[in-house]
Amino acid sequence: MKGMTLIVRTITDFVVAFIVVFGAYIVLYGHLTPGGGFAGGVIIACAFILLMLAQGKEVAFSRFGEKTAHVLDSTGALVFLAIGGVGLTAGFFFKNVFGRGEPFRLLSSGMILPANIAIAFKVVGSLYLVFTALAIFRRRSFRSMIEDELT
Amino acid sequence: MTVYFLCAVLLMMGLYCLVAKKNIVKKVIGIVIMDYAVNLYLIIIGYKHGGLAPIVEPGMNAQTLGRFVDPLPQALVLTSIVIGLGVLSLMVAMCIRMYEKHGTFDMSQISKLRG
Amino acid sequence: MNLVPLYVAIPLLAAFLIPLLGMWWKKSGEVLATLSTVLLSVMAIASIGAPAVVHHMGGWPFPEGIAIVSDGLAVLLLIAVNVVGFLCVIFSLKYMQEYTGLPKYYGLFMLMIAGMNGVVVSGDLFNLFVFLEIASIASYALVAFGVEADELEAGFKYLVLGSVASIMILFAVGTVYAVTGTLNMADAAREIASRFGGPEMNPALLLAAAFFLMGFSLKAALVPFHAWLPDAHPSAPAPISAMLSGVVIKSLGIYAICRIFFHVFGFAAGNPSSVIIANAMIAFAILSIVIGGLLAIGQWDLKRLLAYSSIGQIGYVMLGIGIGARVLATGGARSLAALAILGGLFHLINHAAFKSLLFLSSGAIQQATGTRDMKRMGGLKERMPITAATTNLAALSIAGVPPFSGFWSKLVIIVAAVKAGHVVISSIAIAMAFVTLVYYVKLQREVLFGAVRGAVEKAREVPAVMYVPLIILAVVCVGFGLLYPVVGARILEPATDALLNGAEYIKLVLG
């Protein structure tokens, strides 16, 4: 994959950081406002997918490698399970053992915030991996064959 | 009632696409249409005309509480969409692999197993 | 405190830890999968005879929380899933070495076990659907694991039909929720019984029941929903075929049908809808027995023969359960319903043992001879005595030769059918039991006995790590036949009681 024109590449380079920050905000405030781990994770993953579309595979992999994505994918799920397991020490799987905190503050709602972060890790990793796994097939020939098939 | 009927029509359209089309990518599209028809059905179950967001605040009376929409089907649909995404990506990956093996998307040319 | 959630949590932990560690440690899959399946098997076997327990997730009681329930029926399935899973992992250690990407294989394998355990212990309709999808997605990927043309085609077929089944099940779950306003199975059962009991059933619920029956029958590969099975089971690697035929079609199909129809919908006497459902179950069962059996005779591919035989045998399981349901729905004696269901569940666990044994043996044979074509085999017992002996034992058992386990379970089902007055059905079942004998005699004659010929000449006995699981399963086959009083009283009767006592299930979950 070579990427797109100079204008697109410059703009995406500039915009990606903001999209990631916005995604992180959605994740961190998921227990207070609409959003959460899945929605925020999708936004962050989309930022890197955008980078891959605009600048090509090499640039995207240099910022966010496949191995990192694999690690994020697995650790997210493991952290989520660990949060559930911590609850088991209090007698029930996923029982809240953290303090509830004051309503409408960032550090509140017990385990929802760490669980959201864990889900976000998982979603970022796996969505990015799904995209790269599908994009890694020879893209040029694939495009031509779809045109052949659909016409 | 009409909306439920339209939902069923959408489901049947997906099923038709799945059964009648030979191209495996179109079959995948058929499955996705069916999946979304069911998601739509779940959303309609929870829909309430003029409903309110189900956030309880102090001082709400029973009448206001009765106007809340049911949030549970929306949670179900979210889960179901994520599952659908997983299945879709697996299907697309298999389609690509099958194209690599056979050089075609036509199921009648791919098919060798007898069922 | 009880540890029921660990049936899901342990395999999930293994499923995510294996690919993570697999990046640096190539043997992570083998080690972690073996450890976790051993632990799960021990947990499942240790829970024999334990009282039924319910775990409220997050400490939230009914109606907020999600319930995880382990009763007699769940214990039966947990033993089958985890023990067969463990033996398949042991078999995989050597068998799967020729494949690449082993951490992914073991990760998916553990994910499949997590999904099946989740389906079995779930006390909530939507969670049942989610776990069903987890197990299904893992099995779609595992069927296509070889990524050759046949594997991909079989996997795609399985994926498409499995997705249609999942969509039907989700539709039915939504309809039940729309009518009853709850997803908790026990609560839904109470609502259905209190509001729609008596002679009439709500048409929306009847629609939901039809969709549930179609969806789960597709997962269980009952005829006429069987088209995917004869392709998918032979194409998968042998341990996965053993898992699919041995436990996946049972835990995702038969178990879910039992749980939903006996506990949520209930078979009340004098309810015409219940009779319709029970009749449909018996019809699917008879079709599966006849068509699966007849198609199996003509097969020359070893694994395809076994796959068609799976369809026929799952029909026997369904027949026992369907007759039990019909007896309940027509107001017959409860002890007769218990007998029929006992027969069905006994055949379920027997089939889990001998069909996984047969598929693992077929994998050993395929690896030793390099072919699955029965025309190119013969005299296997000269070259591979242990594999041949276990295969022979499983074949005798599945064909219903006394005193092996398959004979007793078929006998119980047929006796129950006769007692319930279904003479035609029972004679079909007896006739098809002889057809089963015919195609397993064919398997014996073509593959095991006779002169050494074809691909068998160069074959050698597989290593110990592959034949030890075969021997264990063969011992189980014989043991279930000879030690029926122990097995029946400790495992099967609690399961039958749990299935028949819907009211107790409701009381257990709702507290």
Side-chain angles (χ1 to χ4, degrees):
Chain A
M1 253 187 280
K2 283 214 306 286
M4 297 180 184
T5 60
L6 185 64
I7 299 169
V8 180
R9 293 161 73 146
T10 316
I11 295 293
T12 45
D13 216 23
F14 180 70
V15 153
V16 160
F18 288 101
I19 301 178
V20 171
V21 171
F22 178 64
Y25 165 79
I26 298 275
V27 172
L28 292 176
Y29 283 80
H31 54 303
L32 304 175
T33 55
F38 182 75
V42 171
I43 293 170
I44 297 176
C46 283
F48 290 106
I49 290 172
L50 179 69
L51 193 69
M52 180 175 283
L53 286 175
Q55 311 231 7
K57 213 163 57 192
E58 287 73 24
V59 178
F61 277 147
S62 70
R63 302 266 185 92
F64 186 26
E66 236 180 326
K67 201 161 185 174
T68 326
H70 272 293
V71 172
L72 270 188
D73 183 28
S74 295
T75 44
L78 289 173
V79 169
F80 192 74
L81 258 180
I83 294 168
V86 168
L88 202 57
T89 59
F92 292 99
F93 208 66
F94 275 109
K95 181 151 180 68
N96 187 11
V97 289
F98 307 118
R100 286 194 194 159
E102 201 181 318
F104 301 111
R105 301 295 292 271
L106 181 59
L107 291 175
S108 65
S109 342
M111 59 200 265
I112 297 180
L113 179 61
N116 265 342
I117 294 171
I119 294 169
F121 277 172
K122 171 83 190 157
V123 170
V124 171
S126 43
L127 261 188
Y128 185 67
L129 281 176
V130 165
F131 186 82
T132 53
L134 295 179
I136 227 143
F137 291 100
R138 285 158 305 175
R139 193 158 172 274
R140 189 60 59 191
S141 64
F142 190 62
R143 179 180 287 166
S144 65
M145 86 200 177
I146 283 185
E147 281 160 3
D148 289 348
E149 284 294 325
L150 294 183
T151 47
Chain B
M1 202 58 217
T2 326
V3 280
Y4 292 106
F5 182 72
L6 289 176
C7 236
V9 169
L10 192 60
L11 190 72
M12 290 305 138
M13 280 166 65
L15 194 59
Y16 172 78
C17 180
L18 173 63
V19 174
K21 296 291 171 189
K22 286 223 173 346
N23 189 321
I24 51 176
V25 176
K26 289 181 186 166
K27 280 181 190 288
V28 170
I29 293 171
I31 294 230
V32 173
I33 292 174
M34 285 175 80
D35 205 8
Y36 279 89
V38 175
N39 288 344
L40 187 64
Y41 174 67
L42 290 177
I43 284 288
I44 292 169
I45 288 170
Y47 176 75
K48 197 174 268 182
H49 191 69
L52 298 172
I55 301 169
V56 183
E57 282 165 17
M60 277 186 168
N61 57 14
Q63 201 194 352
T64 327
L65 293 174
R67 282 177 61 206
F68 282 169
V69 292
D70 187 353
L72 193 65
Q74 298 175 13
L76 303 189
V77 167
L78 210 60
T79 316
S80 150
I81 288 173
V82 177
I83 293 170
L85 175 74
V87 175
L88 175 64
S89 53
L90 191 59
M91 281 195 283
V92 171
M94 276 193 195
C95 286
I96 296 173
R97 282 299 182 100
M98 280 159 90
Y99 186 88
E100 282 189 339
K101 297 275 176 212
H102 300 276
T104 175
F105 279 129
D106 191 341
M107 196 66 192
S108 58
Q109 287 178 36
I110 293 170
S111 185
K112 284 204 310 242
L113 300 171
R114 296 187 311 274
Chain C
M1 184 174 117
N2 58 61
L3 297 173
V4 188
L6 291 186
Y7 284 115
V8 183
I10 290 173
L12 272 185
L13 180 73
F16 294 121
L17 211 52
I18 287 168
L20 182 64
L21 295 180
M23 283 191 275
W24 301 280
W25 177 32
K26 289 288 165 238
K27 286 278 171 201
S28 69
E30 283 88 338
V31 174
L32 286 172
T34 312
L35 281 179
S36 46
T37 45
V38 166
L39 192 57
L40 286 166
S41 306
V42 170
M43 273 172 66
I45 291 171
S47 62
I48 293 175
V53 285
V54 54
H55 185 102
H56 297 284
M57 292 287 274
W60 293 94
F62 175 80
E64 287 90 1
I66 292 166
I68 297 243
V69 188
S70 159
D71 59 0
L73 182 63
V75 168
L76 176 83
L77 263 292
L78 285 174
I79 292 169
V81 168
N82 292 310
V83 172
V84 172
F86 164 62
L87 295 171
C88 289
V89 167
I90 299 291
F91 188 84
S92 305
L93 297 179
K94 185 83 184 129
Y95 182 84
M96 292 301 291
Q97 268 179 356
E98 59 191 83
Y99 289 81
T100 51
L102 282 184
K104 287 197 186 78
Y105 168 79
Y106 286 105
L108 284 168
F109 193 98
M110 295 316 292
L111 204 57
M112 188 164 78
I113 289 188
M116 282 190 284
N117 283 347
V119 167
V120 172
V121 297
S122 171
D124 181 281
L125 285 170
F126 191 73
N127 273 323
L128 189 142
F129 168 75
V130 171
F131 284 124
L132 184 110
E133 279 294 271
I134 291 175
S136 301
I137 292 175
S139 60
Y140 305 146
L142 283 169
V143 166
F145 196 74
V147 292
E148 290 303 320
D150 279 2
E151 278 97 336
L152 284 170
E153 192 198 327
F156 189 75
K157 211 176 208 176
Y158 181 26
L159 212 174
V160 167
L161 289 174
S163 305
V164 172
S166 304
I167 288 165
M168 285 175 178
I169 293 164
L170 184 61
F171 185 87
V173 168
T175 310
V176 169
Y177 179 73
V179 176
T180 64
T182 178
L183 285 169
N184 187 307
M185 284 192 211
D187 199 24
R190 199 175 55 177
E191 286 286 322
I192 289 172
S194 71
R195 279 207 255 157
F196 313 106
E200 279 302 312
M201 203 185 209
N202 184 313
L205 279 176
L206 197 58
L207 180 73
F211 270 94
F212 269 133
L213 192 59
M214 281 196 284
F216 291 128
S217 299
L218 227 162
K219 296 273 182 194
L222 291 166
V223 176
F225 307 107
H226 67 290
W228 59 270
L229 188 142
D231 291 339
H233 288 203
S235 302
I240 300 306
S241 313
M243 283 301 278
L244 286 173
S245 255
V247 288
V248 171
I249 55 176
K250 297 189 184 69
S251 56
L252 304 189
I254 301 293
Y255 168 83
I257 288 177
C258 289
R259 187 65 95 190
I260 299 274
F261 285 105
F262 281 84
H263 284 169
V264 179
F265 286 91
F267 286 101
N271 185 339
S273 321
S274 296
V275 181
I276 297 174
I277 295 168
N279 284 345
M281 282 178 175
I282 295 177
F284 288 167
I286 290 293
L287 276 176
S288 308
I289 291 173
V290 173
I291 294 176
L294 292 180
L295 287 176
I297 299 176
Q299 301 302 321
W300 285 98
D301 180 332
L302 182 55
K303 283 175 97 176
R304 277 182 89 83
L305 186 146
L306 298 177
Y308 276 111
S309 143
S310 277
I311 298 174
Q313 302 303 314
I314 210 83
Y316 277 100
V317 178
M318 198 64 206
L319 183 64
I321 289 157
I323 287 173
R326 197 182 144 83
V327 169
L328 286 181
T330 51
R334 203 181 154 80
S335 58
L336 182 56
L339 184 71
I341 290 168
L342 184 86
L345 293 178
F346 190 28
H347 201 62
L348 185 154
I349 196 157
N350 284 340
H351 187 248
F354 46 59
K355 191 46 68 67
S356 44
L357 170 53
L358 281 168
F359 266 116
L360 290 182
S361 300
S362 77
I365 294 170
Q366 189 184 1
Q367 196 161 61
T369 63
T371 180
R372 300 198 310 238
D373 188 354
M374 285 160 70
K375 285 177 182 157
R376 295 180 55 211
M377 294 183 198
L380 200 75
K381 87 178 160 45
E382 309 290 330
R383 292 284 189 271
M384 301 169 70
I386 297 171
T387 312
T390 55
T391 312
N392 203 355
L393 226 149
L396 289 175
S397 189
I398 197 169
V401 175
F404 299 110
S405 54
F407 171 71
W408 301 110
S409 48
K410 280 183 189 170
L411 185 71
V412 173
I413 293 169
I414 290 165
V415 165
V418 173
K419 273 187 159 181
H422 302 297
V423 180
V424 178
I425 288 173
S426 49
S427 33
I428 294 174
I430 293 168
M432 294 313 292
F434 284 106
V435 171
T436 315
L437 191 60
V438 168
Y439 59 75
Y440 280 104
V441 166
K442 171 184 170 185
L443 188 151
Q444 280 181 332
R445 208 189 59 196
E446 297 290 334
V447 179
L448 304 178
F449 300 128
V452 175
R453 65 189 166 102
V456 179
E457 279 175 10
K458 282 177 289 178
R460 258 198 234 131
E461 186 57 84
V462 288
V465 72
M466 275 165 80
Y467 69 65
V468 166
L470 301 183
I471 292 172
I472 295 173
L473 281 168
V475 169
V476 168
C477 281
V478 179
F480 278 179
L482 298 179
L483 302 175
Y484 174 73
V486 181
V487 180
R490 300 295 297 279
I491 306 174
L492 292 172
E493 277 165 24
T496 313
D497 284 347
L499 199 54
L500 282 172
N501 288 330
E504 227 162 79
Y505 178 79
I506 295 173
K507 211 163 76 187
L508 174 74
V509 176
L510 302 188

